[in-house]
Structures are given as structure tokens and as C-alpha cells.
Amino acid sequence: MRGSPVRCARTADSNAAPLARVSVYDARRFSSPGAAVPRDRERDPPASQVLGDTEVFRMARTARSRLVGRWATRPSAVLFLAAAPLLVAAPGVAAPSGAAPSGAPAAAVESDAYSARYLVQPNPLPSTNGLALDGRGNLYVAQALYDRITRIDLTTGAAERIADDTDPVADALQSPDDVAVGPDGNLYVTNALKKSVVRMAPDGSARTTIASEVTDGVTGPNGIAFASDGRLFVSDLAFDPAHPGGLWQVDPQGAAAPRQLTHRLRVPEGFGMASDGLAYIPEYYAGRIAVVDPGNPGSVAGLSTRFQGLVSAVKVMPKTLDPAESLVLVENLPGQGNVWRVDRASGSKTLLAAGRGAFDNLAIDPGSGTIYVSNFVQGGIQRVNPRTRTLTGVFPTGPLATPTSLSLNPDGSLLVAGATSLASVSPRGRVTTLSQFLISRNQGVTPGAVQIGTTLYYTDWLDSSRPGRLMKLDLRTGTRSVVASGFVIPWHVRQGPAGTVLVSDEALGNVYRVNVADGARTVVATGLNSPAGLAYDAHTQQVYIAEAGAGRVVAVPVQGGTPGTVAGGLDKPEGVTLDGQGRLLVVDAQGSAQQNPAAPGSLLRVVPGTASRTVLATGLPTKITGITLIPGFTFTSDVVARADGTIVVSGAANGSIIELSPNR
């Protein structure tokens, strides 16, 4: 795939203006890894440049790390690690400052005019999970939320997506959680949602499922590691402390069926194998390390060491570097992540580094002993500096990963809900994390949130072991409680009539009105195909629903009734809101896909009750596949309108927030 242009359009069916070469996010503004970003830099959009078709993102290993963007030429390995190109179509509309080539064409469409900038800059490598080193200078990164495997050349900083679920193969990825490099040089990946293990070549080709049904019916495969004798082991878990997980042996050739060795572990995460064949497996919520002998799996022992936080991964130092084969693990506490070294014999522990959580996994270079750490919430890759007990950026983190919902707070800031965190964003673009996935009181995936007074209401779901919930967080005391449960995949949440909120459920196809005092639920609309975005008009008592799977926006009375189509013929409407004049603003995630496959989103304005439909923006970074096992389901991009006419759109594909300001 080549770099895709952005088409400027007058209306949904108007003739297109000339195409423009894309501009790609240039992260040269990142300071030295770990450095704070000045406030003026938080506000200003990043600089960019037009780059060649065959370039790749690159971070030069210099004092000031810098990224340069380019596209990979291999069709199944198109790189899209940083911002989707963003150009806006409206009369006199300018592209984001510094984000478009000089003189990029923009068509005059109507009297309104907008300029665009990144309120929150894109996340270059969002939501990172399992890590593996190949001994040749390459680091492989699993990104479960994005269904992809990325390869980073640690010498040059070049990063390339080598596999994702858009590849035209039968063994596509579905939430790859961990990755290991086998003795044969191939990659072995746990496919959590498909409950399988996939083998692939180092470039992502020659993909084969070697194990299926690595599950007890609820659990999914998680960690993966090879023993020194070439045996392959996999852990499986459900994020429910009451539901046991276990350890499996998997045939790397795929000839034998996977064999469950033990089913007595409490949420077993990423693990490591010592040269004596013992598996050291963290029990996530218990804060301890289980020791399993695959030759005698009926007996599960444990180290005496205990941790206060959540232990998400354990690896073993290579014997060539440490004859004692000490353990290295990551622990997460609210607001902080720790990297520890643990003596296998005595259980004594030494802090190697501390930093901003939420650490997910790690890898140890067998030659140098360098430790690399992934981050599920902020993304990026960090390297441990045991001398200073700090972490140094290898690939930069970002404040947001998958911003799926936007709403306005009473103080004018934005409330951003996403798969991995809840955060507020100031008018200057400063991001404050309010709550994190799993670390904050076992918080699940949180795709929707709204603040009413000093209470934050948010949707929360995790896996089949725990029903979807509507939660509330008292921002004064930090107290959390369940408002209502029994959802499957609750998605957006919006303020409804007094004392109620509105909740969409992607899986059930329903929209509910929930009484926040007692949790009583009333069905407002049912039989919908992936309802995502919601908007409520208090004047007309109408609820507007973006029905992503049906390609339409519908309206229904808030007391319930039959939904009526307000805007049809859309590709994938996700976010929806009302502007100050009662017009609908709709994010269509695939609205400009033909013109710009890499950044296919468009922003439309619809006047309810009329045929009026105007395209305000194209080239929005909305392309993200998400969990495709559920028909019509993907992570969503959202939109809000401020009283001053400014429009804000979330870029779920790259973790950005885009602000469109009217040109006065």
C-alpha cells in the first residue's frame, strides 16, 4: 500500500477536489526519552514532512531521539505506527499546522471554515504487550488491542508492522498477547481471542496455527515461552481471580494437540523458563510467583516473595550472564510501575527501576542482559537503567492509546474514555490520567464515560468471566461502585433525562436508560446492529444512535420506541453529537476509505428531518479493526462540539485528539 492521499469533498456526492500527497506525523519534537513536554509544545501540533513511499518510521539513537516516517512497501506489512495523515476539507480549511505539505489543496465547500491541529499528539506505538528478541538486534512487539505484531530494529530504530488481522491469510491475528522466538528462528504468538497459537516467519509470512482451543471454555492463551530443550509452553487465563488458569504444552510443529498441564493458577500471566525446566509464572492479582515443573505439574510450588501490586510478567536471566538465573519481573501499583530482580533461591528482591505504569511484559537481551519493558496503557518501549533505577525510552510512549469516547466536563476540559484508561484533556492539550486498565481497582476496558457533577460514570467490561457494568467514580473521594450490571459489551454512555444516563451495548444491540440511583434499566431501543455513539437532545427528547453495523444514524424517543433513520447510506458511523444549532455531527469511520485507505474517517454534518448532509473533514485517523470476532464491532472514534463552534474528534487509530476550529 502506498501513502494514501486525502480527498476534499463538497458534500457526500459532490465531485472531489484534486488529491494531495499525504503528510505523515513526524515525531522529531519528542525530547530525549522520558523528558517532560513543555506546555507550548503540548498545544502546538507536531511538525511533519512529506516522505517517500518506501521509508519506515525510524528513531535514530542519538541524544535527541527522533522519528521519521515512511511507508513499508510489503502489502501485508504496511506501517502505520504514528499519526494517520490528516487533512480537512471545508472552505478555506487548513490542514493541521505543520502536518500538511505546503500548498496542499483544499476545496472551498461552504461558508464555514475550519483549521485543524492535534490537541493530543498521536501515539507512535500504542498499547504494547509481549516482547521477544531474536538475537540479531530485532525486538518483536505484540499489540493485542491493535491485532498486530511490530518489529523494531534496535540498531536503527526502524519499526515495521509485520502482521495484523487485515492480512489476507486464514491465520489472521486476533488480540496477539505474547510472542516468543523459537529455536528455529520463527515467531510463536498467543492469539488470545482465537484461543490459539500461531507460528510465523520473522517477516510475518508463512503463518500457521499450531494449536487451537487453548482454553477451558472461558480462558484465553496469554504468556508463551520456550524451554531450553525446545519444548513450548503457554499460559491461559481469565481476568477473574476466582476462575483458575493454567499451563499448557504446545507442539511447535502443530502435529500434537495442546495438552493442559495444570489448571490451578490464579490469573497466570507472561512467564519465563529456567534452564532446569521450571516455569516461573506470575499470578497477577495474588502478587506472587508460582513455580511449575512441567514434568510433575500436579505439584505447584511458589516463591516466598510477595508483591503489593499486580505482577504481569516474569522472565529468567540467561545463565550465561547470571549463573543463579535470577528472575526479573514487572509489578504495577496505582501511578507507578516497578521492575524487580528476585533471587530464585532466597526470594530476596532488588528494585531495578521504577517509572510510570502500566507495565505489561518484558524481554531480556541474552547477550548484554539489557531489559526491555512494554506498557499497555501508554504504549512505547522502555529500557531499564539499573544504575539510576530509571527507565529510558527506546520507542516513545504516548498519553492515550485508543480514545473511543469524548464528552465535555463541567470545567470545559474533555473527558476521554478508551480501552486502557480514563483521562481528562485540558483546552491546551494537557492529559491527566484518572484511571487505568486493571491497575485501578480491577478496571476493565472502559470505552465510554461522562461526568455529571463530581461523579464520573463509565462503562466497563473485560471478558466472559465478568459481565459488562456501568460504574461510577466519586471524583472527590475516589470511591467506585457498580451502578448497573448485566451488560455484555457496554459502550458509550451519555447523560440522559434528570437522574439517568444512556448506555449502548455493542453486543446486545440495545440502548438503555439507566437510573443512576438504583441501577434500574429501561430499553430505549433494541435490535440494533452494533450501536456505538450516542447523543441526547433534551429539547426534543430524542436519542440519536450511531448504528455502526447498519451504516446509519437513527433517532428514538428517550422513553423508547421504534428507531427511525435520520442519516442512512453511511459506511461505519461511530461518534455522534449535536452542535449548538441542533445539527448532528457524525464521524463515519470509513467515509473516505476509497480516497484514503490509511486514514478513512470523515466528519459529516446532518440536519435532522432534512436531506442536508455536508462533509466537513476527511482523512481522519479512525481505521482500527478492534475485536472482529464480534460482527460490526470495532473501537470507535467520537466527536464533541464546544459552545464556541470548535469541533473535537478522537483518532482511535493512533491515540490522537484532533481539534477543528472555525476560521473567524
Side-chain angles (χ1 to χ4, degrees):
M1 180 185 297
R2 292 183 175 270
S4 303
V6 176
R7 187 184 300 272
C8 302
R10 181 179 300 273
T11 61
D13 57 357
S14 67
N15 293 326
L19 303 184
R21 280 297 302 262
V22 281
S23 59
V24 183
Y25 174 52
D26 176 6
R28 289 177 296 172
R29 279 184 167 240
F30 277 105
S31 302
S32 298
V37 181
R39 283 182 176 269
D40 61 342
R41 192 166 294 178
E42 292 172 354
R43 179 175 177 83
D44 294 337
S48 70
Q49 64 186 61
V50 178
L51 302 164
D53 291 331
T54 58
E55 294 177 296
V56 293
F57 274 100
R58 183 177 301 276
M59 178 183 287
R61 300 179 68 183
T62 59
R64 287 184 61 82
S65 299
R66 54 185 292 180
L67 288 175
V68 181
R70 73 181 185 184
W71 302 97
T73 55
R74 182 173 175 268
S76 62
V78 177
L79 176 70
F80 196 58
L81 293 182
L86 172 64
L87 292 177
V88 179
V93 170
S97 304
S102 177
V109 178
E110 57 180 353
S111 59
D112 294 329
Y114 293 86
S115 60
R117 71 180 182 99
Y118 287 113
L119 183 63
V120 176
Q121 296 180 3
N123 192 327
L125 191 66
S127 193
T128 51
N129 300 98
L131 303 176
L133 293 151
D134 65 1
R136 296 186 294 274
N138 293 312
L139 176 67
Y140 293 89
V141 184
Q143 294 172 269
L145 280 181
Y146 286 78
D147 295 342
R148 73 176 61 141
I149 302 293
T150 297
R151 179 173 59 194
I152 299 175
D153 186 321
L154 293 172
T155 301
T156 66
E160 179 186 10
R161 181 190 305 181
I162 63 167
D164 65 19
D165 63 1
T166 65
D167 296 341
V169 296
D171 302 285
L173 300 180
Q174 292 285 357
S175 197
D177 194 87
D178 203 358
V179 56
V181 176
D184 57 3
N186 286 318
L187 305 182
Y188 293 79
V189 180
T190 51
N191 225 4
L193 286 177
K194 278 193 170 181
K195 305 184 186 303
S196 65
V197 179
V198 173
R199 183 183 67 222
M200 66 181 72
D203 64 355
S205 63
R207 215 170 303 174
T208 303
T209 297
I210 60 169
S212 300
E213 296 304 313
V214 185
T215 177
D216 65 3
V218 174
T219 60
N222 185 270
I224 187 167
F226 276 91
S228 58
D229 59 6
R231 291 176 297 164
L232 179 60
F233 299 97
V234 171
S235 62
D236 71 322
L237 61 75
F239 284 104
D240 178 359
H243 191 100
L247 184 69
W248 299 65
Q249 183 169 349
V250 171
D251 181 1
Q253 301 304 314
R259 182 167 62 96
Q260 187 180 64
L261 302 177
T262 183
H263 194 238
R264 298 171 52 193
L265 305 176
R266 296 177 59 188
V267 193
E269 277 271 15
F271 64 97
M273 303 291 299
S275 62
D276 57 10
L278 296 179
Y280 291 84
I281 307 173
E283 294 184 286
Y284 189 65
Y285 296 110
R288 65 189 180 198
I289 303 169
V291 185
V292 178
D293 181 355
N296 182 25
S299 175
V300 177
L303 296 186
S304 59
T305 316
R306 292 291 185 269
F307 298 88
Q308 294 181 347
L310 307 174
V311 182
S312 59
V314 174
K315 301 296 178 182
V316 181
M317 288 293 292
K319 193 170 186 177
T320 53
L321 299 175
D322 178 3
E325 294 183 90
S326 300
L327 306 180
V328 179
L329 62 85
V330 289
E331 173 198 28
N332 289 298
L333 296 161
Q336 179 177 317
N338 297 322
V339 183
W340 296 92
R341 182 194 299 268
V342 177
D343 184 276
R344 289 198 299 156
S346 67
S348 63
K349 60 184 181 180
T350 303
L351 181 67
L352 298 179
R356 186 182 180 191
F359 300 150
D360 187 84
N361 215 319
L362 71 150
I364 304 172
D365 189 314
S368 65
T370 302
I371 301 166
Y372 298 91
V373 179
S374 63
N375 190 313
F376 185 64
V377 174
Q378 284 82 31
I381 303 295
Q382 295 175 290
R383 180 175 54 243
V384 172
N385 186 335
R387 183 179 60 83
T388 60
R389 293 187 179 181
T390 59
L391 294 132
T392 302
V394 175
F395 213 96
T397 61
L400 300 174
T402 53
T404 58
S405 169
L406 301 175
S407 60
L408 289 171
N409 288 329
D411 64 359
S413 63
L414 288 171
L415 177 60
V416 182
T420 61
S421 67
L422 300 172
S424 65
V425 179
S426 74
R428 288 180 58 86
R430 184 176 183 84
V431 178
T432 301
T433 301
L434 303 174
S435 191
Q436 294 182 331
F437 179 78
L438 294 181
I439 298 172
S440 302
R441 303 290 181 90
N442 197 24
Q443 176 178 302
V445 177
T446 50
V450 64
Q451 182 179 336
I452 303 175
T454 59
T455 302
L456 193 155
Y457 296 90
Y458 63 93
T459 51
D460 174 288
W461 62 276
L462 193 52
D463 59 21
S464 57
S465 69
R466 191 178 80 189
R469 309 177 296 185
L470 174 66
M471 304 288 295
K472 69 176 180 181
L473 168 63
D474 188 318
L475 296 174
R476 297 166 300 179
T477 65
T479 303
R480 298 170 190 262
S481 58
V482 178
V483 177
S485 60
F487 302 98
V488 177
I489 301 183
W491 209 243
H492 281 196
V493 55
R494 291 289 184 262
Q495 185 172 1
T500 69
V501 295
L502 302 167
V503 179
S504 59
D505 191 311
E506 282 257 18
L508 294 177
N510 296 338
V511 172
Y512 299 91
R513 188 179 69 254
V514 181
N515 186 309
V516 297
D518 60 12
R521 300 187 305 172
T522 302
V523 175
V524 174
T526 190
L528 302 172
N529 190 341
S530 286
L534 297 173
Y536 173 58
D537 189 335
H539 298 292
T540 64
Q541 297 285 293
Q542 291 287 305
V543 180
Y544 295 95
I545 306 164
E547 193 177 358
R552 65 175 185 164
V553 176
V554 299
V556 63
V558 73
Q559 298 304 319
T562 302
T565 300
V566 175
L570 304 175
D571 287 282
K572 195 173 185 308
E574 294 184 336
V576 60
T577 194
L578 289 158
D579 67 11
Q581 300 180 46
R583 300 172 297 185
L584 289 174
L585 300 175
V586 182
V587 176
D588 190 342
Q590 297 287 335
S592 59
Q594 291 185 349
Q595 305 98 303
N596 193 343
S602 61
L603 177 65
L604 298 89
R605 186 171 61 213
V606 177
V607 180
T610 75
S612 175
R613 184 184 306 181
T614 305
V615 176
L616 300 180
T618 61
L620 298 173
T622 57
K623 184 179 182 180
I624 181 171
T625 305
I627 304 172
T628 52
L629 291 181
I630 303 170
F633 172 92
T634 64
F635 297 112
T636 54
S637 291
D638 202 9
V639 57
V640 296
R642 294 194 178 112
D644 63 359
T646 301
I647 301 170
V648 183
V649 179
S650 61
N654 60 21
S656 68
I657 304 293
I658 301 114
E659 185 178 76
L660 308 176
S661 300
N663 294 329
R664 303 299 183 184

